Amino acid sequence: MSNNIILQVKNISKRFGGLQATQDVSFDVKENEILSIIGPNGAGKSTLFNLITNFYTVDTGSILFRGEEIVGLTPDQVCIKGITRTFQIARPFPGLSISDNILVALLPKSATVAAARDQVDEILKQVNLDKKANHMGSQLTTLERKRLELGKALATNPQILMLDEVMTGLKPKEMDEMMDLIRELQKSMTIVIVEHVMRVIMAISERVIVLDHGKKIAEGTPQEITSNPEVVSAYLGRGTGNAGDK
């Protein structure tokens, strides 16, 4: 394995009854890159995230994290090793303050509650929520909920941060702020993004993988992807720039 490859996905497939959700998908992820995964509605993007983090069980194939097989581990074991994901719908604990939401995420990797509390302020500053630390989870705007979801992921100290449609529901200026934050995070971790906003994909991605009907149909730079005839036919040409995924 090349020294700068942190994750290897090898021929993974997943079927749900009669639906082939992913089929022989393979790709590598390099350390400290921003890799985006795109595709039309139903392409298998979120399923792929769930397979890598073991929320779903891989039918066939292999996933290596720093050369170690992680297929068969539980989601919490994958998280402890250093792969953390966010979810499309941010669900903070509404009855807890923003500070305590972060504290709960810190506890599994902290020796004591006091040690966890010592880290809360730093994470809140990272996601620009330090001035809202005492606000309740039920009082947050869409952008704040997204930032809190991101903060909870950062609390696990990930080596690979997987962001599932983190831009959904954000206004253009808010997207710009989130992109700035993602670029800053890239300095200390690898970022893998499932996203449908092409402006974001073009602006921050170093490489892009395109899925269609569970298969990888293209891989390359944003410029290579947008000029690929198969991608244009399968995705960009359908006018699905705002499509989601399951």
Side-chain angles (χ1 to χ4, degrees), residues 53 74-84 109 156-158:
T53 52
T74 61
D76 61 302
Q77 288 172 329
V78 173
C79 180
I80 289 171
K81 284 188 176 295
I83 304 175
T84 300
K109 283 194 172 183
T156 68
N157 193 29

Side-chain angles (χ1 to χ4, degrees), residues 123-132 144 147 177 181:
I123 292 173
L124 289 176
K125 288 178 182 177
Q126 270 189 291
V127 295
N128 296 324
L129 288 176
D130 48 306
K131 295 180 180 178
K132 296 285 188 77
E144 290 166 348
R147 288 185 177 276
E177 293 175 2
L181 176 55

Side-chain angles (χ1 to χ4, degrees), residues 37 39-50 56 85-92 142-143 145-147 149-150 162-170 178 193-196 242-246:
I37 300 172
N41 190 31
K45 304 185 295 294
S46 291
T47 296
L48 183 60
F49 262 35
N50 284 325
Y56 293 160
R85 63 161 300 174
T86 64
F87 293 87
Q88 290 181 26
I89 301 175
R91 293 188 176 94
T142 297
L143 177 59
R145 290 166 71 96
K146 293 284 187 178
R147 288 185 177 276
E149 176 79 359
L150 182 54
M162 305 181 68
L163 303 175
D164 195 352
E165 298 199 11
V166 72
M167 302 294 174
T168 300
L170 300 187
M178 186 65 78
I193 303 175
V194 160
E195 191 51 67
H196 63 263
N242 289 318
D245 178 58
K246 299 298 181 188

